[in-house]
Amino acid sequence: MTAFLYALTVLIWGTTWIAIKHQLGPVAPEASIAYRFALAGLVLAGALAVTGRLKAIPWRHQPFVLLQALCLFSCNFACFYLATRSIPSGIVSVVFSAATVFNVANAYLFHRRRPAPRVLAGAVIGLLGIACLFRDTLVSTALDRDTAIGLGLALLGTWFFSAGNLVSARNQRHGLPVATVNAWGMLYGAALVATVAALRGVPFGFDPSPAYLGALLYLAIPGSVIGFTAYLTVVHRIGPEKAAYMTVLFPVVALTISVFAEGYRVTPLAGLGFALVLAGNAVVFAPRLPRFAQRKGRPEAACDA
């Protein structure tokens, strides 16, 4: 089940970048985010209520649900949407891959949990692969003021996402159901974004075009209801450091789709990048090598000899 949820999240979130691109237009990014999570929260809460699985969250845990909403369902997406105004979405997805590094750093900073060497090695290999895949895009992007702002917003959004992983892990350790927390968190996130947007005078228009509506439905249902529930369940099962490696695989899925849908040509360097990303994944999840049993500080084989 963990492997299935891992693969499902990679497939869904690897395609959401395309849907986000279709939401950039006449509708303000803040409005699109509020619509997305309001719809997702209502759908998820409704489904849980119908099946009798929507639980009340004790007041002592409400601040952490709100904190999860800030990190995963509002601030991070506001940064990503605004970043795509200044830099290509492909660059945003590359920066998002740094969540593997942020998760390791945040786990050590807040919990003093040292990462396993193979997790670090796998993350480095995977990020090198991403650099190879997007080398041409990275080189062709001019580093001016707008680009610097876009990169900064993308990095800030990635940090929020990483911090949200740790908050979610904390909520699950205290016995809060993933789906229930997500339902309330998405509604909180939508309300927070809408409130801030209203205070800033952001207009809440709507685009009835099929492209915008299709993107909104895809981002709300598969992208949010299914994607976040699957991802945060994996975070609980294998830890935020390993789960974050998914963010390295998202751009690979996006580029694979581009090969068939947009005529993207795989260069030798890109092929090397694909191989490195897969190798990094193998390193992160490879089973541990068995240790030789020792007796009084000496290997068994030496004792038998």
Side-chain angles (χ1 to χ4, degrees):
M1 180 56 69
T2 301
F4 169 75
L5 293 175
Y6 186 95
L8 181 65
T9 306
V10 170
L11 288 174
I12 291 175
W13 280 2
T15 56
T16 54
W17 298 105
I18 299 173
I20 288 175
K21 186 176 180 180
H22 285 293
Q23 288 210 305
L24 299 175
V27 181
E30 295 90 340
S32 291
I33 296 169
Y35 297 152
R36 171 183 177 173
F37 287 112
L39 178 58
L42 289 172
V43 169
L44 183 54
L48 292 174
V50 168
T51 56
R53 294 188 295 146
L54 184 64
K55 307 297 182 184
I57 298 176
W59 282 107
R60 67 180 183 278
H61 295 303
Q62 288 288 348
F64 294 97
V65 176
L66 182 60
L67 184 59
Q68 183 172 323
L70 279 170
C71 292
L72 292 183
F73 307 128
S74 55
C75 292
N76 60 327
F77 279 99
C79 291
F80 292 141
Y81 274 66
L82 293 173
T84 53
R85 286 180 165 182
S86 304
I87 57 177
S89 59
I91 298 294
V92 178
S93 68
V94 172
V95 175
F96 188 53
S97 301
T100 55
V101 177
F102 280 118
N103 272 20
V104 168
N106 284 335
Y108 179 76
L109 180 64
F110 294 108
H111 299 296
R112 291 290 183 245
R113 186 167 63 239
R114 294 182 180 275
R118 60 179 178 162
V119 173
L120 280 176
V124 171
I125 294 171
L127 291 174
L128 285 175
I130 290 296
C132 291
L133 282 170
F134 286 89
R135 184 255 180 196
D136 293 337
T137 305
L138 292 168
V139 171
S140 63
T141 301
L143 187 58
D144 53 21
R145 180 176 178 275
D146 288 341
T147 302
I149 292 174
L151 289 173
L153 286 170
L155 282 170
L156 182 60
T158 304
W159 185 87
F160 274 121
F161 174 81
S162 174
N165 286 197
L166 298 182
V167 177
S168 175
R170 178 266 172 204
N171 289 337
Q172 293 182 56
R173 284 197 305 271
H174 284 76
L176 301 182
V178 174
T180 293
V181 173
N182 281 352
W184 290 115
M186 288 174 186
L187 293 174
Y188 289 167
L192 287 168
V193 173
T195 301
V196 173
L199 292 174
R200 293 180 57 240
V202 175
F204 269 73
F206 193 79
D207 182 1
S209 67
Y212 185 86
L213 287 174
L216 176 61
L217 289 173
Y218 185 78
L219 289 170
I221 311 303
S224 299
V225 174
I226 300 174
F228 272 103
T229 302
Y231 176 78
L232 295 177
T233 300
V234 173
V235 167
H236 177 66
R237 292 188 177 196
I238 66 177
E241 296 91 341
K242 285 185 176 181
Y245 195 87
M246 290 188 222
T247 62
V248 177
L249 297 174
F250 299 155
V252 175
V253 174
L255 282 184
T256 302
I257 293 173
S258 294
V259 170
F260 298 99
E262 301 174 341
Y264 174 78
R265 296 182 61 184
V266 180
T267 64
L269 185 61
L272 174 62
F274 274 101
L276 286 173
V277 169
L278 294 177
N281 193 70
V283 170
V284 169
F285 294 102
R288 293 181 180 179
L289 295 175
R291 296 181 179 179
F292 290 105
Q294 294 187 352
R295 183 182 302 164
K296 294 182 180 180
R298 293 185 301 165
E300 260 186 4
C303 295
D304 292 340

